[in-house]
């Protein structure tokens, strides 16, 4: 009788070991991706010692040209060249030269990698990040000031430089506003609601915080993914407003991103929680309707020396949503709250210039005409 061959048993043990091995590799890979995507802790950012003259990097966010370039020309005309640098984010392919600006200070200062910016979308904060990244390439850049194209300085360069450099903190308007509904629950748990902050986008950062903004690979993608322009229904149309709001969630990234990022990085103790840029916010006649809130545009009559002095004399800011009064200080010394103001028309900016409110200027150099 022929002996029957014994059937080989399935190698279940070997298959199990292989499965465990592959699962372990997958878990390690995901962990490494997670570690790489987290915002770096302050301790992880090693700053190379710098012993030269520190600079303020002026980061201009422009629609295209800088309509108040003549005023900023006078400002930089009275500045020490080794104490500032200029970077401009404007429309892609826009060139600052003698045909597009009256100030040589802006020649060739626009970013070459600029993007198309749409208000209410993450492209605004993406443009800010590009400006900060460019300025970080200069080791002398120690402060990073975001400037609107409708912004004017309230003092001369020397005063602003000494004010900003006297503080070791960033100036970031940051507060809680539980009444607004801009936080998108879909951001959780990456962005916890208790870390959601609001404030002016016009900030001045120390280098350490600027590095954190550029290194961020966690918070910015969430804003880009979940903050979209809300589609308003057309009058008389059939579109349902609630349905439109569900499809698009407008969280106004430029008023929340930087504040929320620094809050999540546990850095609020390193901030002067206020902006240095003054704005007067208009409100519609109906107090219940805040859809028309916007910064007032200052015209010629609003730029009188008396009015500018009133803005300069503001020494505290009240945050209604936090019941907090912020008395403006630098290193425990009381100081004026604002160094800049917006939004100013060309005629208002010209009046500030003619009144000599930011120092003397060479009219021939700034008001040259192109042949």
């Amino acid at each position: 009788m022929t002996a029957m061959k014994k059937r080989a048993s399935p190698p279940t043990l070997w298959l199990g070991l292989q499965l465990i091995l592959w699962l372990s590799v997958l878990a390690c890979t995901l962990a490494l991706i997670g570690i790489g995507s987290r915002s770096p802790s302050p301790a992880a950012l090693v700053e190379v010692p710098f012993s030269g003259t520190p600079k303020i990097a002026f980061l201009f966010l422009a629609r295209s040209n800088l309509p108040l370039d003549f005023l900023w020309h006078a400002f930089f005309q009275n500045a020490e060249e080794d104490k500032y640098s200029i970077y401009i984010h404007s429309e892609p392919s826009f060139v600052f030269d003698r045909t597009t600006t009256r100030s040589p200070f802006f020649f060739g200062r626009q970013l070459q990698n600029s993007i198309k910016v749409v208000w209410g979308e993450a492209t605004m904060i993406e443009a800010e990040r590009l400006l900060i990244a460019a300025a970080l390439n200069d080791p002398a850049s120690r402060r990073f000031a975001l400037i609107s194209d409708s912004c004017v300085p309230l003092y001369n360069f020397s005063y602003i430089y000494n004010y900003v450099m006297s503080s070791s903190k960033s100036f970031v308007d940051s507060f809680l506003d539980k009444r607004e509904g801009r936080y998108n629950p879909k951001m959780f748990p990456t962005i916890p609601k208790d870390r959601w902050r609001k404030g002016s986008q016009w900030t001045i950062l120390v280098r350490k915080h600027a590095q954190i903004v550029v290194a961020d690979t966690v918070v910015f993608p969430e804003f880009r993914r979940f903050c979209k322009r809300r589609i308003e229904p057309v009058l008389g149309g059939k579109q349902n407003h609630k349905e439109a709001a569900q499809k698009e969630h407008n969280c106004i990234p430029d008023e929340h991103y930087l504040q929320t990022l620094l809050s999540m990085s546990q850095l609020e103790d390193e901030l002067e929680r206020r902006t240095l840029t003054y704005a007067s916010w208009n409100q519609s006649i109906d107090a219940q309707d805040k859809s028309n809130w916007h910064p007032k545009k200052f015209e010629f009559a609003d730029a009188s020396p008396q009015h500018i002095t009133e803005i300069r004399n503001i020494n505290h800011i009240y945050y209604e949503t936090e019941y907090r009064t912020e008395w403006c200080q630098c290193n425990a010394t009381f100081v004026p709250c604002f160094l800049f103001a917006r939004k100013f028309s060309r005629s208002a900016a010209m009046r500030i210039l003619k009144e000599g409110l930011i120092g003397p200027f060479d009219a021939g150099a700034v008001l040259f005409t192109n042949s």
Side-chain angles (χ1 to χ4, degrees):
M1 184 175 180
T2 305
M4 295 180 62
K5 291 184 179 180
K6 187 177 180 181
R7 182 180 296 177
S9 60
T12 54
L13 180 60
W14 173 243
L15 290 174
L17 289 173
Q18 281 189 317
L19 180 60
I20 293 173
L21 177 62
W22 281 109
L23 288 174
S24 299
V25 170
L26 179 61
C28 291
T29 302
L30 291 175
L32 287 173
I33 292 173
I35 291 172
S37 66
R38 293 192 187 102
S39 297
S41 65
L45 297 171
V46 179
E47 177 62 26
V48 177
F50 174 76
S51 58
T53 301
K55 292 181 181 179
I56 298 178
F58 288 85
L59 314 178
F60 287 90
L61 277 166
R63 294 174 181 83
S64 53
N65 66 335
L66 290 172
L68 308 184
D69 55 357
F70 58 90
L71 178 62
W72 284 98
H73 178 95
F75 177 78
F76 290 118
Q77 191 178 45
N78 297 301
E80 298 174 63
E81 291 185 13
D82 61 344
K83 290 185 176 181
Y84 72 89
S85 55
I86 298 171
Y87 301 84
I88 309 171
H89 185 285
S90 59
E91 291 287 327
S93 75
F94 189 88
V95 177
F96 281 82
D97 56 23
R98 291 183 65 90
T99 66
T100 56
T101 177
R102 284 156 295 184
S103 173
F105 289 111
F106 299 117
F107 288 177
R109 299 313 306 164
Q110 73 276 9
L111 301 188
Q112 299 303 309
N113 59 341
S114 63
I115 61 171
K116 178 70 175 179
V117 172
V118 179
W119 184 89
E121 293 188 355
T123 50
M124 178 68 78
I125 55 178
E126 187 174 355
E128 295 177 5
R129 284 160 53 91
L130 289 171
L131 282 167
I132 295 171
L136 277 170
N137 289 326
D138 183 356
S141 297
R142 313 313 286 183
R143 301 293 186 274
F144 302 78
L146 282 166
I147 305 293
S148 163
D149 60 5
S150 63
C151 189
V152 301
L154 296 173
Y155 299 90
N156 61 29
F157 177 86
S158 178
Y159 183 90
I160 289 177
Y161 181 88
N162 292 332
Y163 184 120
V164 171
M165 289 298 179
S166 68
S167 175
S168 60
K169 295 185 176 184
S170 292
F171 293 89
V172 179
D173 189 40
S174 179
F175 58 93
L176 291 166
D177 189 354
K178 297 181 180 179
R179 298 175 304 181
E180 51 96 303
R182 295 179 183 174
Y183 175 79
N184 190 337
K186 294 180 180 179
M187 293 178 168
F188 184 85
T190 305
I191 302 177
K193 189 173 183 179
D194 64 348
R195 287 295 173 183
W196 183 257
R197 299 290 186 271
K198 181 180 180 181
S200 167
Q201 77 179 106
W202 311 112
T203 62
I204 296 184
L205 301 178
V206 299
R207 189 174 179 91
K208 169 184 169 181
H209 298 161
Q211 290 174 316
I212 289 173
V213 172
V214 172
D216 168 40
T217 57
V218 173
V219 179
F220 175 67
E222 293 296 294
F223 273 81
R224 185 162 53 186
R225 181 181 179 187
F226 293 115
C227 292
K228 306 292 183 180
R229 293 186 69 184
R230 179 174 292 138
I231 300 174
E232 298 294 345
V234 179
L235 293 177
K238 297 180 180 180
Q239 185 180 23
N240 184 284
H241 182 71
K242 289 185 178 180
E243 291 178 358
Q246 289 173 356
K247 293 180 181 179
E248 303 291 338
H249 192 99
N250 188 358
C251 70
I252 317 296
D254 49 285
E255 293 185 5
H256 295 275
Y257 168 67
L258 228 159
Q259 291 80 358
T260 299
L261 172 64
L262 295 177
S263 171
M264 289 181 59
S265 302
Q266 308 293 328
L267 291 170
E268 290 186 296
D269 289 343
E270 299 181 12
L271 308 178
E272 294 283 359
R273 292 174 58 197
R274 58 187 178 89
T275 181
L276 296 181
T277 301
Y278 174 82
S280 176
W281 288 85
N282 273 344
Q283 177 179 341
S284 61
I285 298 176
D286 181 0
Q288 301 300 317
D289 175 19
K290 296 184 179 181
S291 61
N292 291 326
W293 277 43
H294 59 278
K296 173 185 176 181
K297 187 173 184 179
F298 292 96
E299 301 293 348
F300 183 88
D302 303 307
S304 66
Q306 294 80 9
H307 192 198
I308 298 302
T309 299
E310 289 175 4
I311 298 174
R312 286 175 169 179
N313 287 341
I314 296 173
N315 61 5
H316 69 280
I317 306 168
Y318 179 65
Y319 291 88
E320 181 180 352
T321 60
E322 293 184 332
Y323 307 103
R324 169 173 64 95
T325 298
E326 188 78 18
W327 293 94
C328 301
Q329 301 181 62
C330 278
N331 290 333
T333 300
F334 290 101
V335 292
C337 290
F338 300 108
L339 299 180
F340 310 97
R342 62 184 296 266
K343 303 169 81 171
F344 276 70
S345 67
R346 290 170 57 84
S347 63
M350 182 60 73
R351 183 172 184 179
I352 289 176
L353 192 63
K354 293 179 67 176
E355 297 284 355
L357 297 177
I358 60 170
F361 71 100
D362 179 0
V366 67
L367 299 178
F368 64 83
T369 56
N370 300 315
S371 57

